[in-house]
Amino acid sequence: MHLSSSTLLVLLASTQCHAFAPAAMRARAPSPRAQWWEEDGTAPDAGATTTAKATGEHQIKAGDHVRLHYSLTTTGGQALDGAELTFDTEEVDLVVGAGGFLPALHNALDGASLTVDAPETMTLSAPFGERDPRLGPIPVPAANAPKGMQPGDRAGLSNGATARVMSVSDEKVVIDANHLYAGEDLTLTVTLLEPPNGRPLQEATFAGGCFWGVELAYQREPGVVRTEVGYAQGADPSPSYEAVCSGVTGHTEAVRVRYDPSRVSYERLCDLLLDRLGENRYALNRVGNDQGTQYRHGIYFSDDAQQATAEAVIAREQQRDAGRPIVTEVERIAAYYAAEAYHQQYLEKGGQSARKKETEPIRCYG
């Protein structure tokens, strides 16, 4: 991502939002990913663990569901600025290697040997990537910026990324899209809180239009451990994003969720979908400006219990406005195919917060 003055779109000053130019329509290209992600959505080698002392009894591997407490600090022991993080720290649940959080955290856990309640410390080599001069600092003419900007404000860019405002003068505004901790080694302290895979997870599949925004909504939901976007209910066994967008494959953009039923119910997950749909629940094959069968909304159950819950949720919501039929599909999941890697956790990679209980509005277009 190379910055120029034309990329500056929105400045987030406190809670104010200032537009520089009309927002672009939905991108059809890879995410404006953070610099610690590769083009294919995987973690770069630079985020690998450089030292590890863990010699515990549980050998952690990709695919394991782990509950742990972790912290990130500078190598000097200073806590990181939480405002710079799009993910949770401290006590979390995650599936190793399944995305979300920080790629270097997954790299550090994969292959580590950990003992329950025994803290282990590791050094991460530039987990937020190296500083890139193409990302800043870069001057933007002050005439292109709204008045009242201050150093420390966040600037939203037209490609969906964000930048920090470094300085402001009468002539120019200097911004920097490098992460605050780019180029720095960090210390990871991690404590396994229970044996891996100790609690069974359940799976659910939902469709609500643009899968980027729906996925982020589920990422923020407490009890959701893993999310993945993909294509549901179509006939083509190897769909591509371009083919699905054409509307001829029969798929709909969907989100597959793995969740801990002891912490969040299937009913709550169904409600979350309908809450996000809002008035779109009454619109056939449309969510907002996205139209076509590939954007139809639905709850795709995997067993009789999920079916009964989904139907009860729809019936309850229908009673609120009996004169307008809810057209959200409730069907047994017939097919699901994971989407391309660059779509996974798309909006988080673009800088939007995936922290649990986050209330910042989701911007589906960056």
Side-chain angles (χ1 to χ4, degrees):
M1 177 179 67
H2 176 70
L3 299 185
S4 68
S5 60
S6 64
T7 65
L8 190 58
L9 174 65
V10 175
L11 177 74
L12 305 178
S14 300
T15 58
Q16 297 290 322
C17 223
H18 305 277
F20 283 80
M25 291 301 291
R26 184 180 181 187
R28 301 294 176 180
S31 160
R33 72 196 188 288
Q35 66 215 84
W36 54 95
W37 289 94
E38 299 288 12
E39 289 285 1
D40 64 358
T42 60
D45 291 340
T49 308
T50 54
T51 63
K53 303 176 182 177
T55 57
E57 61 182 302
H58 297 288
Q59 186 77 22
I60 310 300
K61 62 184 184 302
D64 281 345
H65 167 218
V66 294
R67 179 170 170 259
L68 51 86
H69 183 284
Y70 82 100
S71 63
L72 293 167
T73 64
T74 66
T75 53
Q78 183 177 0
L80 303 192
D81 181 354
E84 295 290 329
L85 306 181
T86 61
F87 49 85
D88 289 302
T89 56
E90 300 185 344
E91 188 172 318
V92 301
D93 283 77
L94 60 84
V95 174
V96 178
F101 296 92
L102 186 66
L105 174 62
H106 291 276
N107 289 350
L109 292 172
D110 189 5
S113 296
L114 302 176
T115 297
V116 173
D117 294 331
E120 297 288 352
T121 299
M122 314 175 196
T123 299
L124 305 180
S125 175
F128 287 99
E130 299 294 342
R131 287 192 61 83
D132 186 340
R134 296 173 299 171
L135 300 181
I138 184 170
V140 177
N144 291 4
K147 296 183 182 300
M149 295 172 54
Q150 299 293 329
D153 287 340
R154 300 296 302 186
L157 309 179
S158 60
N159 59 7
T162 62
R164 282 171 289 117
V165 177
M166 306 301 295
S167 64
V168 179
S169 69
D170 292 340
E171 295 78 27
K172 63 186 178 181
V173 175
V174 178
I175 61 173
D176 190 350
N178 281 285
H179 194 276
L180 180 63
Y181 299 106
E184 288 192 40
D185 292 352
L186 298 177
T187 299
L188 167 68
T189 302
V190 59
T191 304
L192 189 66
L193 299 179
E194 60 186 41
N197 306 310
R199 287 170 294 140
L201 301 180
Q202 295 184 7
E203 198 166 73
T205 307
F206 304 96
C210 166
F211 52 18
W212 300 334
V214 178
E215 180 180 37
L216 187 58
Y218 281 108
Q219 284 181 270
R220 293 175 171 183
E221 181 67 21
V224 169
V225 176
R226 179 190 179 184
T227 61
E228 179 186 79
V229 298
Y231 313 113
Q233 303 302 89
D236 186 342
S238 56
S240 68
Y241 182 57
E242 291 72 21
V244 171
C245 284
S246 72
V248 302
T249 68
H251 299 89
T252 184
E253 293 193 11
V255 177
R256 177 154 284 185
V257 173
R258 291 186 68 190
Y259 66 98
D260 181 349
S262 71
R263 298 183 58 205
V264 63
S265 68
Y266 184 70
E267 179 179 7
R268 165 59 192 155
L269 299 179
C270 292
D271 281 334
L272 192 157
L273 176 72
L274 291 174
D275 289 346
R276 179 159 179 80
L277 285 173
E279 290 291 300
N280 292 293
R281 65 181 70 180
Y282 307 114
L284 184 64
N285 299 330
R286 178 173 64 81
V287 177
N289 293 325
D290 292 327
Q291 300 186 49
T293 57
Q294 70 272 31
Y295 298 117
R296 70 188 185 275
H297 35 99
I299 302 172
Y300 302 108
F301 58 85
S302 59
D303 57 33
D304 292 344
Q306 286 190 352
Q307 179 181 8
T309 299
E311 290 175 346
V313 167
I314 295 293
R316 180 236 298 155
E317 292 299 304
Q318 187 65 76
Q319 290 179 350
R320 301 179 189 274
D321 190 346
R324 292 193 294 170
I326 295 174
V327 296
T328 303
E329 293 182 335
V330 177
E331 296 182 353
R332 185 173 295 277
I333 185 69
Y336 172 84
Y337 308 95
E340 295 84 349
Y342 66 79
H343 285 298
Q344 307 302 331
Q345 296 88 47
Y346 187 98
L347 296 184
E348 182 188 6
K349 293 173 188 174
Q352 295 189 50
S353 174
R355 289 186 289 262
K356 299 301 185 187
K357 298 184 179 180
E358 176 64 68
T359 59
E360 177 185 328
I362 293 173
R363 307 182 307 279
C364 194
Y365 301 116

